[in-house]
Every structure is written in C-alpha cells, then in structure tokens.
Amino acid sequence: MDFVIDPPPRVTLPVRGTDDLFPVHRIYCVGRNYAAHTIEMGYDPDKEPPFFFQKNPDNFLVGRDFPYPPASKDVHFEFELAVALKSGGTDISSADALNHVYGYACALDMTRRDLQGVAKKTGRPWEVGKAFEASAPCGPIVPASEIGHPDAGCIRLDVNGQRRQDGNLDQMIWKVPEMISYLSGLFMLRGGDVILSGTPAGVGPVAKGDTLQGEIEGVGTLDLKVV
Ligand code: MN
C-alpha cells in the first residue's frame, strides 16, 4: 500500500530553547473573549458569550514574514495567547482542564476583516475571513512545566513601534480552563490541538512594510513583518 499522491507535510510548532517540535492537530479560536474588544466590534459582552471558530492547522506561520493575503483590502491583527494541548478527551471538567495543557505561545489571529464583515452580514461561514494561508503566525511554544499556567499578565502589541493593543490575560471572559472544558463538550479534543484564546481591544489594519511586535508577560514575544 502506498499514498496515491505525496502526503501533505506534518504541521509543527517549535518548542522554545530546544530542537523539539510540537505536532499540530487542530486550531480552535475564541471570538470576543475580552469585553473591551467585544464592545469595539459593536457587540454587548453581557448579552453574547464568547464562541468558537476554527482555522486550518496548516495556517500556522512560523519564523517567516506574513504575506499580505489576496482578496482583501482590510487585513487586521489580533494578538492572542495560544494554548497547546498535550492530551484531550471529551467532557473535561474545568478543574481538570489545565492537566491537558502542554504549553503556551504568542500568536496572531490575522483576519480579512472585509470578508468577515460580508460573512457576518449574510450569515455565511467565516472561513474566508479567518482561515486563509499564513493567517496564524505563531511563536515557539513554552512548556507549562517551565512557566506554569499564566492567568494574568500584560498582553500587548506594537505596530511600527506604536502601542496598539494593551490588555491583560486576567481580562479574558472565558478563562483557559473554561474554554477547554466547553470545547470538550462539543469536540473530541486531542493532544496537538491549539486554542487561540481571543484578543484584547485595539485591533486594526496592517499594510505591507509594517512590523508587528507582540509580547505576553511570562510567555514571550512574537515579531513579524508584513510583506
Ligand atoms: Mn481572534
């Protein structure tokens, strides 16, 4: 038995300070998980709880410039804490959830906001706005065995040296254990799943030539150029 075509390459993320690789299974993303961002997008955080969408695993971009994608004139940055799972299951309790976390990373949920806007208006799915090539730039994973499980600390992004996003992980509406528990009631989670946990306020457009510098206290940094 043999593959009838070349199998696609396995998607991996580097582990900081090592030659080790984290194999990626799925990418789940939380929408509107910081109240101030929910409000800037025109929604009421008290009336609408956060929700999930997905990107494709091979949308991760590691160690390369971000290529401005086709079909959009309004590509936005959303800087987020990524949560990498080492194991999974269904119906995981919040109390047990962090036992399934391998580590954390800095990530961007790049968004074709104009296409997402059309999808919202017409009730269509979000993939064209969210799940395009290189739409998930991600830094190296830092094992929880080294840094613990950060539930507070600055999460900030500068664009061309100007501070654009400045939040704190403690502002998440759904905390990491809650999102793992909730997701595990909808999907079979597995080791290799990565959750992008939502973005604080201040999202905005990028242009070719921009440099993005993100930092999450206790987790690390992510530098990116738009080309
Ligand atoms: Mn996002």
Side-chain angles (χ1 to χ4, degrees):
M1 198 178 74
D2 208 350
F3 292 115
V4 295
I5 60 168
D6 289 340
R10 181 184 285 281
V11 178
T12 60
L13 293 170
V15 176
R16 190 172 73 184
T18 73
D19 293 329
D20 297 340
L21 297 173
F22 177 89
V24 176
H25 178 236
R26 293 179 184 166
I27 306 177
Y28 298 99
C29 304
V30 191
R32 299 176 206 149
N33 199 29
Y34 289 75
H37 171 64
T38 305
I39 292 164
E40 78 177 345
M41 298 305 289
Y43 299 90
D44 182 346
D46 293 329
K47 290 194 183 139
E48 295 181 83
F51 56 91
F52 288 89
F53 57 92
Q54 284 174 262
K55 291 187 186 247
N56 300 298
D58 63 353
N59 292 155
F60 272 132
L61 174 75
V62 175
R64 287 193 294 119
D65 295 336
F66 173 74
Y68 199 96
S72 177
K73 292 186 164 57
D74 192 27
V75 175
H76 277 209
F77 54 82
E78 298 186 1
F79 188 53
E80 313 199 358
L81 174 72
V83 184
L85 301 189
K86 64 183 176 189
S87 55
T90 56
D91 299 321
I92 297 167
S93 69
S94 293
D96 181 42
L98 292 182
N99 294 324
H100 295 278
V101 175
Y102 174 76
Y104 298 89
C106 297
L108 280 157
D109 167 15
M110 301 303 288
T111 302
R112 291 194 281 214
R113 193 72 78 202
D114 41 3
L115 301 192
Q116 183 197 27
V118 171
K120 284 180 183 173
K121 241 182 255 164
T122 53
R124 291 177 189 157
W126 280 15
E127 280 84 356
V128 292
K130 288 290 195 179
F132 54 93
E133 272 56 54
S135 61
C138 192
I141 296 179
V142 189
S145 59
E146 290 177 26
I147 60 164
H149 298 279
D151 57 5
C154 295
I155 172 168
R156 47 168 93 102
L157 182 81
D158 293 354
V159 179
N160 302 326
Q162 300 252 336
R163 178 85 12 111
R164 299 295 299 276
Q165 295 195 270
D166 195 0
N168 195 294
L169 298 178
D170 67 8
Q171 297 164 341
M172 284 185 195
I173 297 170
W174 282 2
K175 311 299 183 193
V176 172
E178 293 167 334
M179 58 182 87
I180 292 170
S181 177
Y182 179 84
L183 269 177
S184 74
L186 293 168
F187 300 99
M188 163 81 93
L189 296 182
R190 287 185 57 174
D193 288 344
V194 180
I195 304 169
L196 303 191
S197 57
T199 195
V203 299
V206 296
K208 286 181 188 174
D210 283 350
T211 55
L212 280 60
Q213 288 193 304
E215 180 179 11
I216 300 177
E217 196 179 340
V219 175
T221 58
L222 176 63
D223 290 0
L224 193 72
K225 187 170 183 197
V226 181
V227 296

